[in-house]
Amino acid sequence: MTMDYMDVISQHESEVRSYVRGFPTTFAKASGSYMYDTEGRAYLDFFAGASVMNYGHNHPELKKALIEYLSEDNITHSLDMASVARAEFLEAFNRLILEPRNMRYKVQFPGPTGTNAVETALKLARKVKGRDTVMAFTNAFHGMTLGSLSVTGNGFKRQGAGLTLDNASHMPFDHYMGPGTNTLDYIDRMLADSASGIDRPAAVITETVQAEGGVNVADLEWLRGLEKLCRKYDMLLIVDDIQTGLGRCGSFFSFEAAGISPDMVTLSKSLSGYGLPLAVTLIKPEYDIWAPGEHNGTFRGQNPSFVTARRTLELFWSDDAFEQEIARRGKRMAEFLEGLAQRYPQAQGSRRGRGMMQAIEFGHVELAEKISEIGFRHGLIIETAGTDDQVLKLLPPCTTEDADLEKGLAIIEKSLVEAMDELGISRDRAAGE
Ligand SMILES: *Cc1c(COP(=O)(O)O)cnc(C)c1O
């Protein structure tokens, strides 16, 4: 029987479906940096499942570990009962990640998704400090459940809640007020002044690079300043490293370069390494004040996810080879985008990013979406970000081979040229105007 897969999905699945609209084909297989549809057509993946596939699709070593685990009838589901896979993951995480970085965190498994990790951090921060509000930033993205949504900026997503989202105060992220304004000075003033109308928050939650919000990069100095403000006003610092962590921005934790020490850290997306759901909330031991079972959930650490997650730690994080590769590839991506902005000044592109999360924002708002659409026709999966989808976001798997990276970059350039033609943006206006 042949089935029209797309037809079945559009008939039966909710209108809420989204990526299927931008990338309208039915995927069947994937390997490394490529996804293949049912016709066998190859797509070079510059989106990596929004940074879930940092180690590439179906990594052979991870697949081997998973198949072995399953084929031996090892336990799949065990709530939060002790299991071999759980203990082995925790041991490897401490030995390979926390100890070498001189970090001390308790690990909480909050449920399988990113938003579960964020909800957990918000709830625990409120419990620790006994205060209601959490400070969050303009253009932040932290997930879709009510708590996470309340600290998310995007108005379209917020109105989906159907009720007032409160107990959050939104402050300007780094660079939000334009050059020359340090937004921390403003926040400091608001917190210092008991007449500002801002209640003292339990915590501040931030990304180091606002991935969904448009790849807005916080300066390392700003992150250090934010940590100082947290100490000054007795607020916990929560870093949401769900999209920026796990190599994407150059190191395991994206905040390592800033040298800050968050009180809680959320990880998910690429944590299992294989596209299996897994999330953690890391908690400084002194704040781990939960009573047993006070926060609960059925899927808090699936054993198959532990197996592949542990294997990624051994394969990619035993030395600094992977970080060096990311630095090299990220530099190439950044240089390419800088060059692109120079070669096509009429597109008014400006580059930003860290590591292998690189982006270009176009002055012409429709360009990024057009490039994504045309790129797909040329066999490239690439997404946009920002309030108006005006930012083209490059998120190839961090394991992407150099030749494939170049291939993807070439498709971006070709798609930009075609997009400018389609949108009637003149190609021969003088440079530098
Ligand atoms: C994806 C993401 C989330 C939410 O994760 P889900 O698994 O979709 O719930 C939260 N924060 C950041 C920074 C993210 O990128």
Side-chain angles (χ1 to χ4, degrees), residues 69-387:
Y69 188 82
L70 297 176
S71 67
E72 290 163 359
D73 260 352
N74 290 305
I75 193 160
T76 293
H77 180 78
S78 47
L79 296 165
D80 73 356
M81 294 174 201
S83 73
V84 175
R86 191 180 201 94
E88 286 181 344
F89 167 74
L90 285 167
E91 185 279 327
F93 190 76
N94 266 273
R95 175 170 45 88
L96 296 169
I97 303 301
L98 298 183
E99 281 168 17
R101 291 168 180 75
N102 258 319
M103 294 177 177
R104 284 186 67 236
Y105 289 109
K106 296 290 282 295
V107 179
Q108 180 172 355
F109 299 109
T113 67
T115 199
N116 294 136
V118 171
E119 293 286 349
T120 297
L122 299 176
K123 198 171 173 181
L124 184 59
R126 289 183 170 117
K127 186 176 161 69
V128 166
K129 292 296 175 193
R131 298 180 211 135
D132 293 345
T133 64
V134 170
M135 184 183 288
F137 292 101
T138 48
N139 285 306
F141 181 87
H142 297 293
M144 287 296 105
T145 50
L146 290 183
S148 307
L149 202 50
S150 73
V151 287
T152 290
N154 189 301
F156 170 66
K157 299 278 202 272
R158 288 176 67 87
Q159 58 80 35
L163 47 71
T164 311
L165 295 165
D166 50 15
N167 296 313
S169 54
H170 294 263
M171 290 287 169
F173 192 65
D174 194 17
H175 305 298
Y176 185 77
M177 312 297 285
T181 304
N182 185 349
T183 60
L184 293 178
D185 294 340
Y186 170 79
I187 299 167
D188 193 3
R189 178 90 179 91
M190 295 297 272
L191 289 169
D193 183 0
S194 63
S196 68
I198 298 291
D199 297 324
R200 170 92 39 111
V204 175
I205 184 166
T206 192
E207 300 150 272
T208 60
V209 180
Q210 296 182 319
E212 299 298 307
V215 190
N216 309 314
V217 182
D219 289 345
L220 302 181
E221 197 51 48
W222 188 87
L223 292 171
R224 285 190 280 268
L226 182 63
E227 182 182 46
K228 280 205 194 92
L229 276 192
C230 286
R231 304 305 166 228
K232 181 172 172 187
Y233 295 103
D234 183 38
M235 311 176 292
L236 297 185
L237 176 60
I238 305 168
V239 172
D240 180 351
D241 227 359
I242 289 172
Q243 190 159 159
T244 41
L246 301 153
R248 179 54 62 187
C249 289
S251 46
F252 189 89
F253 296 108
S254 69
F255 54 82
E256 286 174 49
I260 58 172
S261 174
D263 300 300
M264 294 185 210
V265 181
T266 57
L267 295 176
S268 180
K269 292 208 159 87
S270 268
L271 185 58
S272 83
Y274 204 71
L276 302 174
L278 181 63
V280 294
T281 307
L282 305 179
I283 307 161
K284 281 199 175 159
E286 59 269 38
Y287 301 126
D288 184 22
I289 60 165
W290 292 118
E294 189 178 2
H295 188 72
N296 216 330
T298 307
F299 292 102
R300 283 174 304 125
Q302 281 297 89
N303 290 300
S305 305
F306 286 139
V307 170
T308 53
R310 180 185 67 132
R311 196 77 188 100
T312 63
L313 301 183
E314 293 168 348
L315 282 173
F316 293 94
W317 300 102
S318 297
D319 57 34
D320 65 359
F322 186 48
E323 282 166 281
Q324 285 180 18
E325 286 290 275
I326 295 168
R328 193 175 57 75
R329 292 184 184 124
K331 188 162 170 272
R332 170 62 191 136
M333 289 161 66
E335 279 167 7
F336 167 81
L337 292 178
E338 300 279 358
L340 199 70
Q342 277 173 15
R343 288 193 291 284
Y344 306 94
Q346 62 280 32
Q348 296 167 0
S350 73
R351 196 274 321 172
R352 54 190 187 236
R354 274 182 62 203
M356 287 182 77
M357 178 180 285
Q358 293 290 335
I360 183 164
E361 173 162 12
F362 295 106
H364 201 292
V365 177
E366 287 154 75
L367 257 178
E369 280 214 309
K370 202 58 165 173
I371 293 169
S372 169
E373 183 192 316
I374 295 172
F376 180 73
R377 299 206 288 264
H378 293 308
L380 182 74
I381 307 278
I382 189 162
E383 246 297 72
T384 59
T387 325

